């Protein structure tokens, strides 16, 4: 609901003309601290595109999407012009509802105001109002939605008379939550009134929580005395909110078509009550516009409807909404149709069919906007909540999901995807083609420059992949075809991008989602150039990045010199983007909800990545204490850094190796410099993902050799290709699966193309071969297989491995080799004794092990906070794994995120884990943590943890100690 306080309203404004009125509106927003001065131009630019006049003497000026960068906080200012202003579209305006919106909140405000416009004399009352309270009352009056839909109908009820039908209808209203028992009791005392034409009515306003109309019809024809009994209506009355429902009833009776309700099904009953005649021609069509039928598409629809020369009505096909004239803009907007909702158009007469076809075609084509097909199974049609402008409280810690440790204090920079506005059609294809070519060239040059600046690593790899995407001839061809069919360069390009991205998503659903995001990223770069919209540029000074969600590619592109922290509205703690944030050492909290996206840029923020908390606009006291903690943290880090090359041991000297997790072999040297005693997990899929097609043998050898050389005798634990789940590989598409995390992923997928696995194993064995001359340092190679569920899978993979060992001359391949499995699936932990007899080692992937043990998606935006690896069920599986391995003299590592959790480290050591592999940045801190306790303490902690029944209990118990 639009909630206005009196401070939001300015009475008695005056302006020479509409431009002056807009300037006043901009000033009012600026004075309220909602926008910066640049927003004024945005208001004018939006008005130049099309009038924001809404009807009933109200206009709703708002800025263009590009001007949103000037919005500091979402809000509205209402300006009353008692004399009225001649608006540029010929209308007269008395009230401006001026909106500063950071996303599409104005759509909801608009939708609410359309209800205001329905009231008689609203323009005069707004003009004459002499108090702010009166204006607020007129604009903010809550809209009570009266109810009439399939759930309020009780058709074919086995009743014997009108009273039983009345009671059945009342009971239906109670089940639908519209009335309480008192209502049913009063209905029971009533004798239904005869309305004529076989219809009867009972009505009451006792115990009504929502005005509603129910209808009960009999299972077999009945009569009441001499009168027919087709059905009994039951009206739950409330104030004047039920008047619309009564009107519908009266219209039905006036049309003389009440008999059509006899034996009718719900769709027919709702159609007749919506005002649709039984002889009308109807057509159903789905709204495809991303933001539903908002002002611009609604205007187009109205124009198309007006051009048909026949009366066309439209209603939401689902629910019991009334049909409105498709030629009335406010009525059409007032339908509040969202993307995916079907509309039902109706018209009478001979030309009805052609007219409805024309209207439905216009809707399908997007009413002037680019639209994508609707896929029911992938898109939810839940009504979206009305936006209430509910700012985040200042100086109050808010909860999110902890994703990467550390504390950050810096101003916010909210990454908002820019919106582009452009004409769909263009008259000169040659000009459009040239514009597209220029934008593509410029985009490529930009990417090339960025690749140069990135100086290698994951960022450079991702940007080069973008470069490759940008030069894809098929994409160019698709865009050119669009241009030759009359589309503008922008529309044709974006359509080509969306089609390609969509095709990728459809192919493998979540598996390829991230590559689709990359495509859109590339697409936006070019679109920005075509529309001359600057992509949001973060400030040059340190900031905390706030975004809806970040894919691994976004995180890898972050400028770590300036990004002090990450806060996302969505995402989970063990999603790969969170893992990358840890790898980059950026404190992060995820899953904070949409509210964080409404934060104004530059708002000071404290972000606690350890606890998943954030506080906006902290008080001086809170800031001082956070700064103190930050200083302590830096001191601890400095001490840990100093001691990073000391061997990892507990206080009493118990040895636990600390290795690094890497996704990029170029970072191996850096890991060693950070004190890593080896690489405990090389996620080789990231190497595959950085190439546009599967890297060949030579490329892989070079990659792995880089890491092994840098390790200088320290062991490399390389995991074979682990794609699927949340790690897509564009050139290895997987058929669409309902449940990709339980589908073809990890070793299961790899074994479907054993030749790929074989090439990888061969490359690893060659890369770890003794250096030329056969002397020098050892090159220990550990290979592990991901997502193994039992011995069968291990043996299949080992057969390939053993064959290779036999085939390859010993001098040309690694000699210090072990083959192990990851323990990520509960079955593998439960069967650890059988596996331990044949593998060389285990490495526990606590991210997936927790996911599969607790049945919580590791990236789930709401649930992943509960996906805690310190859950006693997970700890027991680790205990079983360690016991089985040690019984066979094999070692066990932990390479999931739990390995760097300060609370979990003593527990893991106490359980007997021999190696911890953590992100390279965490190596010094994990080593420092080991020095804080001795083995006896660790064992006591493990025992205590195992004795608990929930993860919270484990954390509580360990904290108390
Ligand atoms: C794990 O599942 O814990 C693991 C280390 O593998 P990944 O996070 O790459 O799936
Ligand atoms: Mg895993």
């Amino acid at each position: 609901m639009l909630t206005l306080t009196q401070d939001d309203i300015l009475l008695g404004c005056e302006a020479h003309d509409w431009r002056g009125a807009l300037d006043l509106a901009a000033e009012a927003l600026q004075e309220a601290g909602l926008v910066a001065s640049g927003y004024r131009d945005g208001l004018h630019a939006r008005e130049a595109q099309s009038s924001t006049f809404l009807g009933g003497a109200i206009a709703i000026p708002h800025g263009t999407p590009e001007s949103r960068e000037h919005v500091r906080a979402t809000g509205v200012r209402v300006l009353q012009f008692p004399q009225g202003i001649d608006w540029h579209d010929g209308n007269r305006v008395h009230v401006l509802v001026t909106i500063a919106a950071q996303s599409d909140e104005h759509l909801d405000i608009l939708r609410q105001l359309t209800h205001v416009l329905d009231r008689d004399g609203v323009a005069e009352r707004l003009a004459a109002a002499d108090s702010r309270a009166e204006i607020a009352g007129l604009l903010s009056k809550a809209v009570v939605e009266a109810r009439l839909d399939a759930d309020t109908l009780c058709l074919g009820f086995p009743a014997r008379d009108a009273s039983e039908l009345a009671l059945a209808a009342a009971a239906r209203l109670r089940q639908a939550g519209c009335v309480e028992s008192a209502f049913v009791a009063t209905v029971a005392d009533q004798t239904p009134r005869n309305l004529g034409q076989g219809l009867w009515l009972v009505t009451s306003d006792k115990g009504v929580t929502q005005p509603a109309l129910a209808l009960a019809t009999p299972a077999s024809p009945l009569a009441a005395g001499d009168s027919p009994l087709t059905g009994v209506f039951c009206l739950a009355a409330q104030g004047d909110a039920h008047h619309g429902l009564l009107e519908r009833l009266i219209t039905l009776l006036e049309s003389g078509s009440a008999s059509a309700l006899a034996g009718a099904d719900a769709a027919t009953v709702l159609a007749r009550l919506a005002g649709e005649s039984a002889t009308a021609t109807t057509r159903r069509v789905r709204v495809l516009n991303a933001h539903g039928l908002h002002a611009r598409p609604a205007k187009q629809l109205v124009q198309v409807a007006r051009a048909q020369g026949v009366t066309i009505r439209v209603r939401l096909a689902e629910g019991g909404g009334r049909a409105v004239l498709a030629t009335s803009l406010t009525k059409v907007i007032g339908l509040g149709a969202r993307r995916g909702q079907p509309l039902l158009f109706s018209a009478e007469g001979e030309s009805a069919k052609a007219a409805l076809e024309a209207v439905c075609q216009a809707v399908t084509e997007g009413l002037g906007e680019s639209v994508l097909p609707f896929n029911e199974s992938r898109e939810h049609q839940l009504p979206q909540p009305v936006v209430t402008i509910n700012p985040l409280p200042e100086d109050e810690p808010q909860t999110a999901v902890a994703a990467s440790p550390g504390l950050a204090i810096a101003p916010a920079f909210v990454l908002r995807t820019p919106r582009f506005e452009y004409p769909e059609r263009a008259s000169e294809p040659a000009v459009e083609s040239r514009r597209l070519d220029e934008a593509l060239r410029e985009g490529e040059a930009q990417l090339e420059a960025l690749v140069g600046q990135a100086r290698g690593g994951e960022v450079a790899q991702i940007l080069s992949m973008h470069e490759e995407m940008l030069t894809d001839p098929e994409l160019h061809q698709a865009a050119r075809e669009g241009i030759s069919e009359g589309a503008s360069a922008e529309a044709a390009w974006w359509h080509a991008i969306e089609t390609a991205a969509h095709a990728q998503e459809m192919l493998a659903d979540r598996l390829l989602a991230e590559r689709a995001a990359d495509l859109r990223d590339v697409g936006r770069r070019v679109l920005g150039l075509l529309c001359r919209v600057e992509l949001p540029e973060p400030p040059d000074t340190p900031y905390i990045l706030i975004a809806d969600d970040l894919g691994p590619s976004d995180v890898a592109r972050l400028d770590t010199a300036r990004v002090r922290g990450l806060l996302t509205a969505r995402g989970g703690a063990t999603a790969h983007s969170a893992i990358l944030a840890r790898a980059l050492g950026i404190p992060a909290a995820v899953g904070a909800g949409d509210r964080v996206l409404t934060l104004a840029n530059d708002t000071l923020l404290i972000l606690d990545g350890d606890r998943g908390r954030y506080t906006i606009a902290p008080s001086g006291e809170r800031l001082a204490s956070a700064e103190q903690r930050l200083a302590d943290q830096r001191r601890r880090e400095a001490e840990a850094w100093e001691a990073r090359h000391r061997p990892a041991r507990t206080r009493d000297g118990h040895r636990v190796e600390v290795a690094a997790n890497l996704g990029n072999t170029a970072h191996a040297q850096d890991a060693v410099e950070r004190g890593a005693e080896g690489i405990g997990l090389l996620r080789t899929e990231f190497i595959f993902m950085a190439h546009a097609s599967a890297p060949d043998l030579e490329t892989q050898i070079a990659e792995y050799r880089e890491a092994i050389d840098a390790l200088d005798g320290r062991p490399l634990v390389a995991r074979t290709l682990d794609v699927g789940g949340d790690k897509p590989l564009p050139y290895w598409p997987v058929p669409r699966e309902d449940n990709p995390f339980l589908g073809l992923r990890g070793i299961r997928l790899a074994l479907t193309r054993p030749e790929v696995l074989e090439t990888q194993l061969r490359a690893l064995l060659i890369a770890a071969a003794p250096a030329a001359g056969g002397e020098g340092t050892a090159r220990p190679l550990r290979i592990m297989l991901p997502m193994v569920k039992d011995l069968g899978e291990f043996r299949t993979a080992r057969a390939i491995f053993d064959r290779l060992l036999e085939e390859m001359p010993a001098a040309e391949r690694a000699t210090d080799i072990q083959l192990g499995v990851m323990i990520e699936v509960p079955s593998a932990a439960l069967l650890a004794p059988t596996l331990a007899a044949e593998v060389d080692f285990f490495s526990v992937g606590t991210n997936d092990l927790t996911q599969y043990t607790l049945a919580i998606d590791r990236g789930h935006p709401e649930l992943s906070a509960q996906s805690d690896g310190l859950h006693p069920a997970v700890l027991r599986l680790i205990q079983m794994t360690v016991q089985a391995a040690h019984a066979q003299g094999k070692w066990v590592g932990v390479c999931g995120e739990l390995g760097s959790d300060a609370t979990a480290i003593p527990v893991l050591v106490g359980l007997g884990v021999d190696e911890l592999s953590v992100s390279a940045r965490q190596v010094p801190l994990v080593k420092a943590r080991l020095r804080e306790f001795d083995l006896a303490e660790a064992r006591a902690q493990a025992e205590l943890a195992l004795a608990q029944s929930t993860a919270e209990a484990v954390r509580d118990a360990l904290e108390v100690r």
Side-chain angles (χ1 to χ4, degrees), residues 708-882:
I708 295 167
D709 287 349
L711 284 170
D712 196 24
R714 296 170 186 83
L716 163 71
V717 184
R719 172 172 74 188
T720 57
L721 190 58
D722 180 21
V723 287
D726 64 342
K727 285 176 288 189
L729 200 52
Y731 46 85
W732 195 340
V734 173
R736 200 189 119 75
E737 295 175 308
D738 283 343
N739 243 323
F741 273 109
L742 300 180
L744 271 176
R745 64 167 303 201
I747 191 70
R748 268 196 287 247
L749 183 62
L751 288 176
T752 64
R753 284 179 57 186
E755 72 284 1
V756 177
L757 182 61
E758 183 176 324
T759 304
Q760 183 174 32
L761 293 173
R762 191 186 292 276
L764 282 164
L765 288 167
I766 296 174
E775 283 167 33
T777 44
R779 294 164 75 83
L781 174 67
R782 319 280 172 247
I783 298 176
M784 63 182 176
L785 309 167
M787 305 295 306
V788 168
K789 73 174 188 311
D790 56 28
L791 199 54
E793 280 170 341
F794 174 72
R795 283 184 177 158
T796 312
R798 200 189 54 190
I800 302 173
F801 181 73
D802 286 347
R803 181 166 50 74
L804 281 177
L805 287 188
E806 262 177 39
E807 279 173 23
M808 295 170 71
E812 289 170 22
R813 60 157 172 84
T815 44
D816 182 354
I817 333 162
Q818 294 182 1
L819 184 67
V821 295
M822 291 194 70
I823 301 290
E824 301 180 281
V825 184
S827 63
L830 293 164
L831 294 171
T834 59
L835 281 160
E838 300 192 21
V839 304
D840 294 320
F841 67 97
F842 289 135
S843 183
V844 186
T846 49
N847 307 335
D848 277 314
L849 186 62
T850 308
Q851 158 169 268
Y852 293 119
T853 304
L854 303 183
I856 295 178
D857 181 340
R858 60 194 271 181
H860 195 289
E862 280 99 40
L863 298 177
S864 65
Q866 293 178 44
S867 185
D868 189 343
L870 266 182
H871 194 286
V874 179
L875 296 179
R876 282 178 195 224
L877 291 172
I878 298 176
Q879 183 190 35
M880 293 170 80
T881 305
V882 175

Side-chain angles (χ1 to χ4, degrees), residues 431-467:
V431 174
E432 299 305 298
S433 240
R434 205 169 47 242
R435 290 181 57 232
L436 179 63
D437 285 345
E438 277 166 18
L440 287 170
R441 267 199 304 276
E442 206 173 327
E444 216 181 311
Q446 281 184 354
L447 282 168
E448 217 167 285
L450 288 170
V451 172
Q453 284 163 23
R455 291 190 298 273
E458 267 142 46
V459 182
Q461 285 176 359
I462 288 164
L463 291 169
S464 338
M465 182 188 59
H466 280 199
E467 237 184 302

Side-chain angles (χ1 to χ4, degrees), residues 134-167:
E134 197 179 339
I135 299 251
L138 280 166
L139 295 183
S140 347
K141 196 168 169 210
V143 180
V144 182
E145 294 284 349
R147 182 119 180 239
L148 164 65
D149 52 37
D151 289 341
T152 68
L153 303 180
C154 178
L155 306 178
F157 185 75
R160 284 162 301 184
D161 58 27
S163 294
E164 280 188 14
L165 283 176
L167 266 182

